[in-house]
Amino acid sequence: MESFRLDGRRAAITGAASGIGHAVASRFAHAGAEVILLDLNASSAQAAAAAIASETSGSVSSIALDVSDERSVADAFGQIAASGSLDVLVNSAGVAHIGSILTTEPVDFDRLYRINVRGTYLAMQAAIPLMEKRKAGVILNMASIAATCGMSDRFAYSMTKGAVLAMTLSVAKDCLPLNIRCNCISPARVHTPFVDGFLAGSYPGQEAEMMQKLAAAQPIGRMGTPEEIAQLALFLASDAASFMTGADYPIDGGFLTLR
């Protein structure tokens, strides 16, 4: 299990105040990494960092970040550079949307693009020069099964995750000479606070029924957990995955192949 350790590594995770990003930050800290939580919600990120630090006795900090804003990204990664190097970037910040091409408004399309696509681009662009100095690094992007299969009412979301997958492959190719690995993870439905909020807002009084319906969409019979996604992220960030780059890793309870 020593090859799964991240001792001496410095990792930045976007969208780290909750959900998958928070689980990744916690798992990395438990594996010995110095972890920097990046999130739009500064107070939540600070509280999450404090909680993880108390559990691990490790070096855990937070920086406010709006991934869709070029200046915010430059400032955040400037702070990271000023205090040390960067070994791992996990792009977990993202938003979802329900709607077909006919019901998706331009404002929703543009919002998803700004956060999910532009935000991933800006973070990678800011992180790679910090990794290039050491001729080593790992980038993990959160894509989705929606990147590679047709899903009803996920038009804008699918667009963004397809772009994340394509960017991952391009960056992996360009970064081969820099010894920077770049992969993406494609979860199926994962039980996060977003899911609970969506069900409460869209199906009041029917939350349990709809939760079961969503869970049953995975052949394994349930949603994934943020911690399960974090375990895969830890593997891909570790030396155990040193021969792996330019790939998409579904973690989907059999959704893509067993339906």
Short mmCIF file of all heavy atoms in Angstrom, two decimals, residues 14-71:
data_model
loop_
_atom_site.label_atom_id
_atom_site.label_comp_id
_atom_site.label_asym_id
_atom_site.label_seq_id
_atom_site.Cartn_x
_atom_site.Cartn_y
_atom_site.Cartn_z
N THR A 14 -10.11 21.62 -6.71
CA THR A 14 -11.16 22.61 -6.88
C THR A 14 -12.50 22.01 -6.48
O THR A 14 -12.69 20.79 -6.52
CB THR A 14 -11.24 23.13 -8.33
OG1 THR A 14 -11.77 22.10 -9.18
CG2 THR A 14 -9.86 23.55 -8.84
N GLY A 15 -13.43 22.86 -6.09
CA GLY A 15 -14.73 22.38 -5.65
C GLY A 15 -14.63 21.51 -4.42
O GLY A 15 -15.38 20.55 -4.25
N ALA A 16 -13.68 21.83 -3.53
CA ALA A 16 -13.32 20.93 -2.43
C ALA A 16 -14.10 21.14 -1.15
O ALA A 16 -13.87 20.43 -0.17
CB ALA A 16 -11.82 21.06 -2.14
N ALA A 17 -15.03 22.08 -1.12
CA ALA A 17 -15.77 22.33 0.11
C ALA A 17 -16.84 21.28 0.38
O ALA A 17 -17.29 21.13 1.52
CB ALA A 17 -16.40 23.72 0.09
N SER A 18 -17.25 20.54 -0.65
CA SER A 18 -18.31 19.55 -0.45
C SER A 18 -18.22 18.47 -1.51
O SER A 18 -17.42 18.56 -2.46
CB SER A 18 -19.69 20.22 -0.51
OG SER A 18 -19.93 20.75 -1.81
N GLY A 19 -19.05 17.45 -1.36
CA GLY A 19 -19.19 16.41 -2.37
C GLY A 19 -17.91 15.66 -2.69
O GLY A 19 -17.09 15.37 -1.82
N ILE A 20 -17.72 15.37 -3.98
CA ILE A 20 -16.57 14.59 -4.42
C ILE A 20 -15.27 15.32 -4.12
O ILE A 20 -14.30 14.70 -3.66
CB ILE A 20 -16.69 14.27 -5.92
CG1 ILE A 20 -17.85 13.31 -6.16
CG2 ILE A 20 -15.39 13.67 -6.45
CD1 ILE A 20 -18.16 13.05 -7.63
N GLY A 21 -15.23 16.62 -4.36
CA GLY A 21 -14.01 17.38 -4.10
C GLY A 21 -13.56 17.29 -2.65
O GLY A 21 -12.37 17.13 -2.35
N HIS A 22 -14.52 17.39 -1.74
CA HIS A 22 -14.20 17.28 -0.31
C HIS A 22 -13.68 15.89 0.02
O HIS A 22 -12.71 15.73 0.77
CB HIS A 22 -15.44 17.58 0.52
CG HIS A 22 -15.21 17.48 2.00
ND1 HIS A 22 -15.35 16.30 2.69
CD2 HIS A 22 -14.83 18.42 2.92
CE1 HIS A 22 -15.08 16.50 3.97
NE2 HIS A 22 -14.76 17.77 4.13
N ALA A 23 -14.31 14.85 -0.53
CA ALA A 23 -13.87 13.49 -0.28
C ALA A 23 -12.46 13.25 -0.80
O ALA A 23 -11.64 12.58 -0.16
CB ALA A 23 -14.84 12.50 -0.91
N VAL A 24 -12.15 13.81 -1.97
CA VAL A 24 -10.80 13.69 -2.53
C VAL A 24 -9.79 14.39 -1.64
O VAL A 24 -8.72 13.84 -1.34
CB VAL A 24 -10.75 14.26 -3.96
CG1 VAL A 24 -9.31 14.34 -4.46
CG2 VAL A 24 -11.59 13.41 -4.91
N ALA A 25 -10.12 15.60 -1.19
CA ALA A 25 -9.21 16.34 -0.32
C ALA A 25 -8.93 15.55 0.97
O ALA A 25 -7.78 15.45 1.41
CB ALA A 25 -9.80 17.70 0.02
N SER A 26 -9.96 14.98 1.54
CA SER A 26 -9.80 14.21 2.77
C SER A 26 -8.95 12.96 2.53
O SER A 26 -8.04 12.65 3.32
CB SER A 26 -11.17 13.82 3.32
OG SER A 26 -11.05 13.02 4.47
N ARG A 27 -9.23 12.24 1.46
CA ARG A 27 -8.48 11.02 1.17
C ARG A 27 -7.01 11.32 0.91
O ARG A 27 -6.12 10.61 1.38
CB ARG A 27 -9.11 10.32 -0.04
CG ARG A 27 -8.40 9.05 -0.51
CD ARG A 27 -8.15 8.07 0.60
NE ARG A 27 -9.35 7.75 1.34
CZ ARG A 27 -9.36 7.14 2.51
NH1 ARG A 27 -8.22 6.80 3.09
NH2 ARG A 27 -10.49 6.87 3.13
N PHE A 28 -6.74 12.39 0.17
CA PHE A 28 -5.35 12.77 -0.11
C PHE A 28 -4.62 13.14 1.18
O PHE A 28 -3.45 12.79 1.37
CB PHE A 28 -5.31 13.95 -1.08
CG PHE A 28 -5.52 13.58 -2.52
CD1 PHE A 28 -6.07 12.35 -2.88
CD2 PHE A 28 -5.21 14.47 -3.52
CE1 PHE A 28 -6.27 12.02 -4.22
CE2 PHE A 28 -5.39 14.15 -4.86
CZ PHE A 28 -5.92 12.92 -5.21
N ALA A 29 -5.30 13.88 2.06
CA ALA A 29 -4.67 14.27 3.32
C ALA A 29 -4.36 13.04 4.17
O ALA A 29 -3.30 12.95 4.80
CB ALA A 29 -5.57 15.23 4.08
N HIS A 30 -5.28 12.09 4.20
CA HIS A 30 -5.05 10.85 4.95
C HIS A 30 -3.90 10.05 4.34
O HIS A 30 -3.26 9.24 5.04
CB HIS A 30 -6.31 9.99 4.98
CG HIS A 30 -7.29 10.40 6.04
ND1 HIS A 30 -8.28 11.33 5.82
CD2 HIS A 30 -7.43 10.01 7.34
CE1 HIS A 30 -8.99 11.49 6.94
NE2 HIS A 30 -8.49 10.71 7.87
N ALA A 31 -3.62 10.26 3.05
CA ALA A 31 -2.53 9.55 2.38
C ALA A 31 -1.21 10.31 2.48
O ALA A 31 -0.23 9.93 1.84
CB ALA A 31 -2.88 9.31 0.92
N GLY A 32 -1.20 11.39 3.25
CA GLY A 32 0.05 12.09 3.52
C GLY A 32 0.32 13.34 2.71
O GLY A 32 1.37 13.98 2.88
N ALA A 33 -0.60 13.72 1.82
CA ALA A 33 -0.37 14.91 1.00
C ALA A 33 -0.64 16.19 1.77
O ALA A 33 -1.44 16.22 2.71
CB ALA A 33 -1.27 14.87 -0.23
N GLU A 34 0.05 17.25 1.38
CA GLU A 34 -0.34 18.59 1.79
C GLU A 34 -1.45 19.01 0.85
O GLU A 34 -1.29 18.96 -0.38
CB GLU A 34 0.82 19.57 1.69
CG GLU A 34 0.43 21.00 2.02
CD GLU A 34 1.53 22.01 1.80
OE1 GLU A 34 2.69 21.61 1.60
OE2 GLU A 34 1.21 23.23 1.79
N VAL A 35 -2.60 19.40 1.40
CA VAL A 35 -3.79 19.60 0.58
C VAL A 35 -4.25 21.06 0.64
O VAL A 35 -4.31 21.65 1.72
CB VAL A 35 -4.92 18.66 1.04
CG1 VAL A 35 -6.18 18.92 0.23
CG2 VAL A 35 -4.50 17.21 0.90
N ILE A 36 -4.59 21.59 -0.52
CA ILE A 36 -5.13 22.94 -0.63
C ILE A 36 -6.53 22.84 -1.22
O ILE A 36 -6.72 22.38 -2.35
CB ILE A 36 -4.26 23.83 -1.53
CG1 ILE A 36 -2.81 23.84 -1.02
CG2 ILE A 36 -4.81 25.24 -1.61
CD1 ILE A 36 -1.82 24.32 -2.05
N LEU A 37 -7.52 23.23 -0.42
CA LEU A 37 -8.91 23.21 -0.87
C LEU A 37 -9.24 24.52 -1.57
O LEU A 37 -9.05 25.60 -0.99
CB LEU A 37 -9.86 23.00 0.31
CG LEU A 37 -9.96 21.59 0.91
CD1 LEU A 37 -8.71 21.26 1.72
CD2 LEU A 37 -11.19 21.47 1.79
N LEU A 38 -9.73 24.43 -2.79
CA LEU A 38 -10.11 25.60 -3.58
C LEU A 38 -11.62 25.54 -3.81
O LEU A 38 -12.14 24.53 -4.28
CB LEU A 38 -9.38 25.60 -4.92
CG LEU A 38 -7.85 25.52 -4.87
CD1 LEU A 38 -7.28 25.30 -6.26
CD2 LEU A 38 -7.27 26.79 -4.26
N ASP A 39 -12.30 26.63 -3.47
CA ASP A 39 -13.75 26.61 -3.62
C ASP A 39 -14.29 28.03 -3.67
O ASP A 39 -13.72 28.95 -3.07
CB ASP A 39 -14.41 25.86 -2.46
CG ASP A 39 -15.81 25.37 -2.81
OD1 ASP A 39 -16.77 26.15 -2.72
OD2 ASP A 39 -15.93 24.18 -3.20
N LEU A 40 -15.41 28.20 -4.38
CA LEU A 40 -16.07 29.49 -4.46
C LEU A 40 -16.57 29.94 -3.09
O LEU A 40 -16.56 31.13 -2.77
CB LEU A 40 -17.23 29.42 -5.45
CG LEU A 40 -18.03 30.69 -5.70
CD1 LEU A 40 -17.15 31.78 -6.32
CD2 LEU A 40 -19.22 30.40 -6.61
N ASN A 41 -17.03 28.98 -2.29
CA ASN A 41 -17.53 29.28 -0.95
C ASN A 41 -16.37 29.26 0.03
O ASN A 41 -15.97 28.21 0.54
CB ASN A 41 -18.58 28.24 -0.55
CG ASN A 41 -19.33 28.62 0.72
OD1 ASN A 41 -18.75 29.18 1.65
ND2 ASN A 41 -20.62 28.31 0.76
N ALA A 42 -15.81 30.43 0.29
CA ALA A 42 -14.59 30.54 1.10
C ALA A 42 -14.79 30.03 2.52
O ALA A 42 -13.92 29.32 3.06
CB ALA A 42 -14.11 31.98 1.13
N SER A 43 -15.92 30.36 3.14
CA SER A 43 -16.14 29.94 4.53
C SER A 43 -16.30 28.43 4.64
O SER A 43 -15.78 27.80 5.57
CB SER A 43 -17.36 30.66 5.11
OG SER A 43 -18.53 30.37 4.37
N SER A 44 -17.01 27.82 3.69
CA SER A 44 -17.19 26.38 3.70
C SER A 44 -15.86 25.67 3.45
O SER A 44 -15.57 24.63 4.07
CB SER A 44 -18.21 25.95 2.64
OG SER A 44 -19.50 26.41 2.97
N ALA A 45 -15.06 26.21 2.55
CA ALA A 45 -13.75 25.62 2.28
C ALA A 45 -12.85 25.70 3.50
O ALA A 45 -12.13 24.75 3.82
CB ALA A 45 -13.10 26.30 1.09
N GLN A 46 -12.90 26.82 4.18
CA GLN A 46 -12.08 27.00 5.38
C GLN A 46 -12.50 26.01 6.47
O GLN A 46 -11.66 25.40 7.13
CB GLN A 46 -12.20 28.43 5.89
CG GLN A 46 -11.25 28.78 7.02
CD GLN A 46 -11.32 30.25 7.39
OE1 GLN A 46 -12.34 30.92 7.19
NE2 GLN A 46 -10.23 30.79 7.90
N ALA A 47 -13.82 25.85 6.65
CA ALA A 47 -14.32 24.91 7.65
C ALA A 47 -13.96 23.47 7.28
O ALA A 47 -13.58 22.67 8.14
CB ALA A 47 -15.83 25.05 7.77
N ALA A 48 -14.06 23.14 6.00
CA ALA A 48 -13.71 21.79 5.55
C ALA A 48 -12.23 21.52 5.76
O ALA A 48 -11.84 20.43 6.19
CB ALA A 48 -14.08 21.62 4.08
N ALA A 49 -11.40 22.52 5.47
CA ALA A 49 -9.96 22.36 5.66
C ALA A 49 -9.63 22.13 7.12
O ALA A 49 -8.80 21.29 7.47
CB ALA A 49 -9.23 23.58 5.13
N ALA A 50 -10.27 22.89 7.99
CA ALA A 50 -10.03 22.74 9.43
C ALA A 50 -10.44 21.35 9.91
O ALA A 50 -9.75 20.73 10.73
CB ALA A 50 -10.78 23.82 10.20
N ALA A 51 -11.57 20.85 9.41
CA ALA A 51 -12.04 19.53 9.82
C ALA A 51 -11.09 18.44 9.35
O ALA A 51 -10.77 17.51 10.10
CB ALA A 51 -13.44 19.28 9.26
N ILE A 52 -10.61 18.54 8.11
CA ILE A 52 -9.69 17.54 7.58
C ILE A 52 -8.36 17.60 8.34
O ILE A 52 -7.77 16.57 8.67
CB ILE A 52 -9.47 17.75 6.08
CG1 ILE A 52 -10.76 17.48 5.31
CG2 ILE A 52 -8.34 16.85 5.56
CD1 ILE A 52 -10.70 17.85 3.84
N ALA A 53 -7.90 18.80 8.64
CA ALA A 53 -6.64 18.95 9.38
C ALA A 53 -6.74 18.32 10.76
O ALA A 53 -5.78 17.70 11.25
CB ALA A 53 -6.28 20.42 9.49
N SER A 54 -7.89 18.46 11.41
CA SER A 54 -8.06 17.90 12.74
C SER A 54 -8.08 16.37 12.71
O SER A 54 -7.66 15.71 13.67
CB SER A 54 -9.36 18.40 13.38
OG SER A 54 -10.49 17.89 12.71
N GLU A 55 -8.51 15.80 11.60
CA GLU A 55 -8.56 14.34 11.46
C GLU A 55 -7.20 13.75 11.12
O GLU A 55 -6.91 12.60 11.47
CB GLU A 55 -9.55 13.95 10.35
CG GLU A 55 -10.99 14.33 10.61
CD GLU A 55 -11.86 14.11 9.38
OE1 GLU A 55 -11.30 13.69 8.34
OE2 GLU A 55 -13.06 14.37 9.45
N THR A 56 -6.38 14.52 10.41
CA THR A 56 -5.15 13.97 9.86
C THR A 56 -3.88 14.53 10.48
O THR A 56 -2.81 13.96 10.29
CB THR A 56 -5.08 14.24 8.35
OG1 THR A 56 -5.05 15.66 8.12
CG2 THR A 56 -6.29 13.65 7.64
N SER A 57 -3.99 15.66 11.16
CA SER A 57 -2.82 16.36 11.69
C SER A 57 -1.86 16.76 10.58
O SER A 57 -0.66 16.96 10.81
CB SER A 57 -2.08 15.50 12.73
OG SER A 57 -2.92 15.19 13.82
N GLY A 58 -2.40 16.86 9.36
CA GLY A 58 -1.57 17.24 8.22
C GLY A 58 -1.69 18.71 7.90
O GLY A 58 -2.38 19.47 8.59
N SER A 59 -1.00 19.11 6.85
CA SER A 59 -1.04 20.49 6.39
C SER A 59 -2.19 20.65 5.41
O SER A 59 -2.14 20.14 4.28
CB SER A 59 0.29 20.87 5.72
OG SER A 59 0.24 22.19 5.23
N VAL A 60 -3.23 21.32 5.85
CA VAL A 60 -4.43 21.50 5.04
C VAL A 60 -4.83 22.98 5.08
O VAL A 60 -4.93 23.56 6.16
CB VAL A 60 -5.62 20.64 5.54
CG1 VAL A 60 -6.80 20.75 4.58
CG2 VAL A 60 -5.19 19.19 5.70
N SER A 61 -5.03 23.57 3.92
CA SER A 61 -5.39 24.99 3.86
C SER A 61 -6.46 25.18 2.80
O SER A 61 -6.84 24.25 2.09
CB SER A 61 -4.16 25.84 3.52
OG SER A 61 -3.60 25.45 2.27
N SER A 62 -6.96 26.41 2.71
CA SER A 62 -8.00 26.70 1.72
C SER A 62 -7.74 28.07 1.09
O SER A 62 -7.14 28.96 1.71
CB SER A 62 -9.39 26.68 2.35
OG SER A 62 -9.54 27.72 3.28
N ILE A 63 -8.20 28.21 -0.14
CA ILE A 63 -8.11 29.47 -0.88
C ILE A 63 -9.42 29.66 -1.62
O ILE A 63 -9.93 28.72 -2.25
CB ILE A 63 -6.94 29.46 -1.89
CG1 ILE A 63 -5.59 29.25 -1.18
CG2 ILE A 63 -6.92 30.76 -2.70
CD1 ILE A 63 -4.42 29.10 -2.14
N ALA A 64 -9.98 30.84 -1.54
CA ALA A 64 -11.21 31.14 -2.29
C ALA A 64 -10.90 31.16 -3.78
O ALA A 64 -9.89 31.73 -4.22
CB ALA A 64 -11.78 32.48 -1.85
N LEU A 65 -11.77 30.53 -4.58
CA LEU A 65 -11.52 30.45 -6.01
C LEU A 65 -12.83 30.37 -6.78
O LEU A 65 -13.68 29.52 -6.51
CB LEU A 65 -10.69 29.20 -6.33
CG LEU A 65 -10.52 28.87 -7.82
CD1 LEU A 65 -9.71 29.95 -8.53
CD2 LEU A 65 -9.87 27.51 -8.01
N ASP A 66 -12.97 31.25 -7.76
CA ASP A 66 -14.03 31.17 -8.76
C ASP A 66 -13.37 30.66 -10.03
O ASP A 66 -12.65 31.40 -10.71
CB ASP A 66 -14.65 32.55 -8.99
CG ASP A 66 -15.73 32.54 -10.07
OD1 ASP A 66 -15.92 31.50 -10.74
OD2 ASP A 66 -16.39 33.59 -10.26
N VAL A 67 -13.56 29.38 -10.35
CA VAL A 67 -12.84 28.77 -11.47
C VAL A 67 -13.19 29.41 -12.81
O VAL A 67 -12.41 29.31 -13.76
CB VAL A 67 -13.09 27.25 -11.55
CG1 VAL A 67 -12.52 26.54 -10.35
CG2 VAL A 67 -14.57 26.94 -11.74
N SER A 68 -14.33 30.07 -12.88
CA SER A 68 -14.75 30.67 -14.15
C SER A 68 -14.13 32.04 -14.40
O SER A 68 -14.26 32.59 -15.49
CB SER A 68 -16.28 30.78 -14.20
OG SER A 68 -16.74 31.78 -13.29
N ASP A 69 -13.44 32.58 -13.38
CA ASP A 69 -12.89 33.92 -13.47
C ASP A 69 -11.37 33.87 -13.60
O ASP A 69 -10.68 33.37 -12.72
CB ASP A 69 -13.28 34.74 -12.24
CG ASP A 69 -12.76 36.16 -12.31
OD1 ASP A 69 -13.37 36.98 -13.03
OD2 ASP A 69 -11.74 36.46 -11.67
N GLU A 70 -10.86 34.40 -14.69
CA GLU A 70 -9.43 34.33 -14.97
C GLU A 70 -8.58 34.97 -13.89
O GLU A 70 -7.54 34.43 -13.48
CB GLU A 70 -9.15 34.99 -16.33
CG GLU A 70 -7.72 34.85 -16.81
CD GLU A 70 -7.53 35.42 -18.21
OE1 GLU A 70 -8.55 35.83 -18.82
OE2 GLU A 70 -6.39 35.43 -18.69
N ARG A 71 -9.01 36.12 -13.38
CA ARG A 71 -8.24 36.81 -12.35
C ARG A 71 -8.24 36.02 -11.04
O ARG A 71 -7.21 35.91 -10.36
CB ARG A 71 -8.82 38.21 -12.11
CG ARG A 71 -8.13 39.00 -10.99
CD ARG A 71 -6.64 39.18 -11.23
NE ARG A 71 -6.39 39.96 -12.42
CZ ARG A 71 -6.35 41.29 -12.44
NH1 ARG A 71 -6.57 41.97 -11.33
NH2 ARG A 71 -6.09 41.91 -13.56
#
